[in-house]
Amino acid sequence: MLSFSRRVCASTIRTSPKNAITSQRYLDPARTSSWICKRPIVSFSSWTAPRRSNILLRFNNVNKQSKLLFCNQALPEHIKVALPALSPTMQMGTLLSWEKAEGDELEDGDLLAQIETDKATMDWETPESGYLAKIVAPEGSKDIPVGKLVCIIVDNKDDIGAFKDFKDESGEVVGAPAASSETVQQPESKQEVTATEPEKSAPTIAATTPVASTPAPAGDRIFATPLARTLASEHGIALASVSGSGPEGQIRKDDVIKFASAPIPVAAPATAQYVDIPVTGVRKVIASRLSESKQTIPHYYLTVDIRMDEILRLRQRFNDTAESQYKLSVNDFVIKAAALSMKAVPEVNSSWHDTYIRQYEGVDVSVAVDTSNGLITPIVFGAHAKGLVEINNDVMSLAQKAKDNKLKPEEFQGGTFTISNLGMFGIKQFTAIINPPQACILAVGTTEKRMIPDESAESGYSKGTFMSVTLSCDHRVVDGAMGARWLSAYRKFMEKPETMLL
């Protein structure tokens, strides 16, 4: 709700019989400069008019959501609420659902709507208390620009009826179904076959498959004029397929021409069945950012094999003594070792910013999570300073929020290093695309049993469990030797997990 000073100002301007004098006394810069400086007024229009027919005050609240306090002779005082930017990179949004209906009472903090941003589905809380008088953007409206009017809020319940036929600034009737920004049209498949009139003197006959007709019985003589035989020979037409119109079925020149110019039946090409799936805002951002990354970042890749026997034994011991309080995964060790490696080789914990390289002190590890809407990377903050159990709890909580579309912007925006693990799908080794402005991303494959030479064994060999990891590096930030040092430190932590305690 507006503060007392703002409400008195608006009410006085609207109801006073001496609007011009009142507005000058209340808003004259010479007298009220201190009041104006303390209030976030963005614009005020027509306050010097001799008659008040329209007053418009624009405010910005602490959440930087633009609101318009508007009144005129036809409509009571109301607030026009525009779509806010729910993430720093958001330019448009899709209104998935309204959680309040027209006429409902609104309190600060109530869930008003669900908005799909360029990152995830966000809950939009009510920016003002009052009553929801009109929903301008219906559910399902796509690609709504930030700042576009989406609803109207009034202070008094009795004022709701005045907005039944409200029209927005564009002149469209409010509540009319929004046209989809993209209309997918199935092209009509049409096959046209044209038969040209051949010149009788010199017919143009394409090499074709003869039209089925009653061929002459085997061994029967084919009667045809010399000119008909010449035309048929020149154009590769079997006379046995041509029906003659002369005496006793003799084939003439006109019969050959008629046969050659007849339309050829064309079989319709087989068309695979398909379904067009609309691209979500999240998928658009993924496509844009990864395309930009691959085109502008000079990637190179380093791969090492890590022996996992010690970590698997240590994980088993931890889980056996957990008494169901936790259940560590291999991925928890992967995150912890990566974070400690970033501290061991801090140059890798950096990002590219065109004119400078920013090196971070803390290690915030982004973990790639697959959701129904696409890939998202929630962040384990300060992973270098957290224990395995705390990392495990963070990853499980963030992964569930990501799948439920409940992540807050601060939980997935940022990060200094990314890990993408496809080992649970049986992928042995792969390369990942860097998530800008980060400098590196680690691609983790599955574990597998291998036979290795072992002089101490009676058989001369032994079994070991190995995992392949590939580090994708931005060559502008991380040189090859630097990336190799990072992987060397990472392998040491993974193969000797007790060193993570030092």
Side-chain angles (χ1 to χ4, degrees):
M1 186 64 70
L2 299 174
S3 66
F4 177 78
S5 300
R6 290 186 237 170
R7 293 182 64 192
V8 170
C9 174
S11 177
T12 305
I13 294 174
R14 185 179 68 255
T15 59
S16 173
K18 299 179 180 179
N19 285 325
I21 298 175
T22 303
S23 60
Q24 288 180 19
R25 184 178 71 250
Y26 224 103
L27 297 173
D28 183 11
R31 299 186 180 184
T32 61
S33 59
S34 61
W35 183 87
I36 293 174
C37 291
K38 295 179 181 179
R39 302 298 188 275
I41 295 181
V42 177
S43 63
F44 172 69
S45 61
S46 304
W47 58 273
T48 58
R51 280 181 169 271
R52 286 304 312 148
S53 60
N54 191 49
I55 288 291
L56 177 64
L57 294 178
R58 184 180 181 92
F59 299 96
N60 279 348
N61 69 352
V62 294
N63 294 324
K64 298 183 181 179
Q65 297 180 6
S66 177
K67 301 180 186 65
L68 297 176
L69 178 61
F70 184 87
C71 57
N72 59 25
Q73 293 178 344
L75 296 173
E77 176 184 312
H78 58 279
I79 297 173
K80 293 182 177 180
V81 183
L83 180 69
L86 299 178
S87 70
T89 59
M90 177 179 171
Q91 297 181 348
M92 293 186 295
T94 296
L95 210 158
L96 296 180
S97 65
W98 284 101
E99 303 302 323
K100 297 289 185 178
E102 292 181 358
D104 287 356
E105 185 175 3
L106 306 176
E107 296 291 342
D108 289 336
D110 285 353
L111 180 59
L112 181 60
Q114 284 195 329
I115 308 294
E116 183 186 79
T117 70
D118 58 342
K119 297 288 186 181
T121 300
M122 309 289 295
D123 290 338
W124 181 23
E125 295 183 353
T126 302
E128 288 287 337
S129 58
Y131 295 89
L132 183 58
K134 192 68 179 179
I135 293 176
V136 178
E139 288 186 358
S141 299
K142 297 182 178 181
D143 297 333
I144 305 174
V146 170
K148 178 72 173 179
L149 177 64
V150 292
C151 69
I152 292 177
I153 297 176
V154 296
D155 288 340
N156 300 318
K157 188 174 183 179
D158 296 338
D159 295 337
I160 295 175
F163 297 88
K164 180 179 179 181
D165 298 321
F166 178 84
K167 295 183 178 181
D168 62 12
E169 297 176 353
S170 64
E172 297 179 3
V173 177
V174 177
S180 176
S181 60
E182 296 183 7
T183 302
V184 180
Q185 292 184 345
Q186 302 274 351
E188 183 180 356
S189 177
K190 184 181 292 185
Q191 180 73 34
E192 294 183 358
V193 179
T194 58
T196 57
E197 285 290 334
E199 297 181 8
K200 292 188 177 182
S201 59
T204 302
I205 306 173
T208 60
T209 303
V211 177
S213 61
T214 305
D220 289 354
R221 181 180 177 183
I222 299 175
F223 296 95
T225 65
L227 182 57
R229 291 181 181 277
T230 302
L231 286 176
S233 176
E234 289 178 354
H235 298 287
I237 298 174
L239 287 174
S241 301
V242 181
S243 299
S245 62
E248 299 182 0
Q250 184 187 45
I251 300 173
R252 298 182 174 183
K253 175 190 69 173
D254 292 341
D255 298 328
V256 177
I257 294 174
K258 180 180 179 181
F259 175 84
S261 60
I264 304 170
V266 179
T271 303
Q273 299 296 319
Y274 61 89
V275 176
D276 292 330
I277 302 175
V279 178
T280 63
V282 174
R283 178 56 60 185
K284 287 180 180 178
V285 172
I286 292 174
S288 174
R289 286 179 60 84
L290 294 186
S291 297
E292 177 187 2
S293 173
K294 200 65 175 176
Q295 293 169 5
T296 62
I297 295 178
H299 286 61
Y300 73 91
Y301 310 98
L302 302 173
T303 301
V304 295
D305 293 334
I306 299 172
R307 188 162 184 174
M308 298 291 292
D309 298 282
E310 286 297 325
I311 272 192
L312 294 177
R313 283 192 287 267
L314 181 61
R315 170 179 172 265
Q316 187 63 45
R317 289 199 300 269
F318 283 159
N319 287 339
D320 289 343
T321 58
E323 298 180 355
S324 302
Q325 295 181 12
Y326 57 83
K327 186 177 181 180
L328 297 178
S329 68
V330 173
N331 200 50
D332 301 327
F333 290 89
V334 169
I335 295 171
K336 179 65 175 180
L340 293 177
S341 301
M342 300 293 274
K343 299 298 288 184
V345 188
E347 296 86 356
V348 177
N349 194 34
S350 305
S351 61
W352 177 261
H353 292 272
D354 291 331
T355 58
Y356 60 91
I357 295 174
R358 176 173 294 167
Q359 185 171 313
Y360 301 96
E361 296 180 358
V363 182
D364 301 331
V365 179
S366 302
V367 181
V369 176
D370 182 39
T371 70
S372 58
N373 292 327
L375 189 70
I376 195 167
T377 53
I379 303 169
V380 178
F381 291 96
H384 63 289
K386 292 182 176 179
L388 292 170
V389 175
E390 191 174 0
I391 290 175
N392 177 267
N393 292 335
D394 285 356
V395 171
M396 292 184 65
S397 174
L398 291 169
Q400 189 59 48
K401 285 184 178 180
K403 293 177 180 179
D404 295 338
N405 292 323
K406 298 298 182 182
L407 282 175
K408 299 178 181 178
E410 59 269 20
E411 291 178 322
F412 60 83
Q413 292 176 358
T416 63
F417 184 79
T418 298
I419 294 175
S420 179
N421 190 344
L422 295 180
M424 66 285 295
F425 298 104
I427 303 301
K428 179 180 178 180
Q429 185 261 336
F430 68 102
T431 57
I433 301 175
I434 296 172
N435 183 22
Q438 297 175 10
C440 293
I441 181 172
L442 185 68
V444 181
T446 190
T447 57
E448 62 177 0
K449 296 284 187 179
R450 298 181 188 174
M451 304 297 292
I452 57 175
D454 187 353
E455 296 180 356
S456 62
E458 183 177 352
S459 60
Y461 63 88
S462 60
K463 295 180 181 180
T465 304
F466 288 83
M467 179 179 73
S468 297
V469 297
T470 299
L471 183 68
S472 304
C473 303
D474 182 348
H475 215 317
R476 299 173 300 180
V477 181
V478 180
D479 294 329
M482 187 187 302
R485 287 197 301 272
W486 188 94
L487 272 180
S488 177
Y490 181 75
R491 180 164 56 183
K492 176 184 175 182
F493 285 124
M494 292 292 287
E495 293 185 341
K496 297 179 180 179
E498 65 273 11
T499 58
M500 297 187 194
L501 304 176
L502 300 178

